[in-house]
Structures are given as structure tokens and as C-alpha cells.
Amino acid sequence: MGTNRSKKKHKDKESKKINIKQTVFSTVLSLIAGALLAAGTGYFSFREEMRESMAETKAKLEDLDRILSDIESDNEKDIRDLDSSIGGLNDRVIEIGERVSVLEGKIDPVNTLQVTQEFAQNLLVDPMSLVFLGNEKIRLDSPLAYSREENRTISANELANHKTILTYIDGNNSVIFSGQYDDKGRWDGNCIINVYDMYNRLIRILDGDYYQGHLINYRQVLMNESKDGDIWLVSDRIVGESSNHGSTWKYLRDEYITLNNDLSSVSDEDIYTVDKFVQNMNIILVEYYKGDTSNLYYNDQSGDSYLVKYFTENQNEDKFYVKTLYVGGFLEGQFDDHSGNAWYIVKEYDTDYMYYKGGFTAGNPDNHEVEIPLSELRIGEIIKASGVELECPMDWDI
């Protein structure tokens, strides 16, 4: 910005110089024209006036010369100031570069260590349950791993506040952890766990954010079975005191990601976040739920939770045809609401969409009074009247 002001100042002075020259030139022409006009009044008069005019012109030219000298002097000063500013900027850039180099030298590379069984107890134990990193503090004086390169045991204290990749074997499963703990032995920041089975298939991902040992929010992938078949259960939730709020997706499970590297040589590139997992899988959406969960079940009596089930045949990136849309309360994973405000729209392959509003018990409506058939316009009216904001893809097979 300073450079632009200097350029503008220099440009203004150049314009000033040109304007002064033009003024003097016009003055000289006027004087000559006046002198020629005076010739008609007599030769001697002309000579006297010409002498006076030339003297006046000389004086003006001397003034102009002084002005131009001042302008050139100012310009030279501006140029010197500009050169000085540019030089200072170059020095600043060099200084910043040196500071970045020093900072990079202080950043430790990510360590990859196979942890001891004692330390492994701080990590995930049961890959099929909803178990996260414990709230108990890590004993910093406990052995974390044995370094073959250094031929010594590394204590937990040595890696506090350092991002580390830790691996261990838990029965038939291989576990990879990426994250860190603070100097008080508390999990802190983003921590990721990948669990592979005996066939080197990725079967579990925990991608959680911790603050001073407490899980704040998490994203996870868990393999499961349901009446819809083998599925991937994918969640994105904020942790509450008695329940967790957020979203859950169910996808058909018909393929896996495999671990190609040995545990001792895994790197950041081998770590799977939930987003990376979903992007790398060709999976079909079965169900979406928005609401609270507790004890591994959908449990929400707010009246704002909802669930959408999809037809899985002929599903593609553009069309997600709705099989069931339910808005209301949940109890232990089942539709359960007696407020009178719960409702659902349902369809089977060989039926039209039908609408029911009323009570639900153990997943079923309390009576069978339905509105059928439904147009897409009518469905839109029902959703708008309910006031619920649906955050998932929905297409209607009408």
C-alpha cells in the first residue's frame, strides 16, 4: 500500500512538471506575439519592449529552473525512500522465512510406535461396542513402547503434547491410533482409532474431538447387522450429559477397505477418518436418523426427531426414494409417541404413499386410519405444516 502512495506522489509531481513547462511555453509564445504586434508602433519602441520582455522571460525561466530542480530533488528523495522501503520489506521477508525455518525445525515428526499391552488399555478394547478413550488420566511414568532403534523403553511422559501414531494387537484385531494427550495425561484434540479384523478389513472408526480428557463430539463407523442386512452404521454426534445429539446413517455393507501396510510402517496417509471412509466406499443409503441417542439406541422424546428409510433398489447419486418418513418420539430405537403430533408417510413397492398422524407404540401406529393416496404436493403440505426441517435427500416414487 505504501508503494502505491509513493508511485502516486511521483506521478503527481511529473504531471506538475509538464504543466509548468506548458505554461512557460505559452507565456513565451504570448510574448513573441506581443512583440511582433508592437512592430507596427516603431522600431525603437519594439527594441525596448523586446528587451524588457526578454529580461522578464529570463527571470521566469530561472524561476522554472529552480522549481524543476526542487522537483527532481524531491523525486530523487522519493526514489531513495522507495528503495529503502523495498529493502526493508525484503529484509522482513527474509526474517519471516528464517523464523518459519526455525519453527519447522521444532516440529517433531509423527512417531509410529507399537505400544505395550499396559498402555493399550488406555485405548479401544472392544471394537463392537460404543467405547471411547477413557476419561481416566494416563500415567505419564508408565512405559508406552519399546524403541528397537534406540534399544530402550519410551515412557508416556516423553510423548505428551506430541501427535503420535500408536499400534497394537488386540486378539485377532489390529488397532491404529492417531492423536495426542497433554502433559497431565488427558486426551486432547482430534483422536482417531482404526480397527482391522484378522482379514485386515477395516471394521471400526472412531474420530473424536477431546478437550482436557473429555469427548466433545465424535464421528464413527461401526459394522452391524439389522433386518435390512449387513450394514455400516455411521454417526456424527455432539456428546451430552445423558444423550448424544446428531445424525446417524445406515449403509448397506457389501465391501471393505483393507490394510495394505504392516502395522510398524503405517503413516498419516493410512489413517481413515469417517469422511475419507464414506468417500472411498460405493455404499447404498438405507436409513437416516436425526435426534438423540443413548445406550446405543435412538432415544428422543422431544418430538423433533425423525427417521427416513429408503428403497435400496435402483438407488443412485440423483435419486433417493423414500420408503418411510417418521417424525416423532423414539424409545429404545422404536417409534414411540403419544402426544398426538407424531406422524409418518409410508409406502411399499406395490402401494401408494399413505399418511397417518396419531399415537405410536413399539414401532407401530395405534390405529390404521390413513390418508391414501398422496400426491407430491400433498406430501409437501404435510411436511411444511409439521414445521420440521429435514436435512437429508428425499425423492418421492410417485
Side-chain angles (χ1 to χ4, degrees), residues 153-200:
T153 299
I154 298 175
S155 69
N157 183 62
E158 294 181 64
L159 293 179
N161 294 319
H162 292 264
K163 182 179 178 181
T164 309
I165 295 178
L166 306 175
T167 65
Y168 73 98
I169 303 297
D170 180 32
N172 292 324
N173 296 321
S174 300
V175 181
I176 303 173
F177 166 85
S178 173
Q180 68 181 40
Y181 47 87
D182 63 18
D183 54 10
K184 294 184 179 180
R186 303 170 302 189
W187 299 113
D188 193 61
N190 182 238
C191 297
I192 301 172
I193 293 176
N194 291 178
V195 180
Y196 290 84
D197 66 9
M198 61 184 299
Y199 304 106
N200 284 336

Side-chain angles (χ1 to χ4, degrees), residues 301 326 329-331 333-339 342 344 356 358-368:
Q301 291 296 312
Y326 169 81
F330 288 82
L331 179 64
Q334 300 290 329
F335 302 163
D336 194 279
D337 192 308
H338 301 283
S339 66
Y344 75 178
Y356 166 81
F360 289 83
T361 303
N364 298 308
D366 290 344
N367 63 68
H368 299 284

Side-chain angles (χ1 to χ4, degrees), residues 32 37 150 162 179 185 226 245 249 259 270 354 382 386-387:
I32 294 173
L37 183 62
E150 300 179 26
H162 292 264
S226 71
H245 182 72
W249 295 260
L259 177 64
D270 299 307
M354 60 190 76
I382 294 170
S386 72

Side-chain angles (χ1 to χ4, degrees), residues 347-364:
K347 181 187 186 305
E348 295 297 336
Y349 284 108
D350 56 352
T351 70
D352 293 317
Y353 283 109
M354 60 190 76
Y355 168 64
Y356 166 81
K357 183 176 182 179
F360 289 83
T361 303
N364 298 308

Side-chain angles (χ1 to χ4, degrees), residues 242-256:
S242 59
S243 62
N244 303 324
H245 182 72
S247 301
T248 298
W249 295 260
K250 288 183 178 179
Y251 298 96
L252 286 182
R253 173 165 50 91
D254 57 2
E255 62 176 339
Y256 292 86

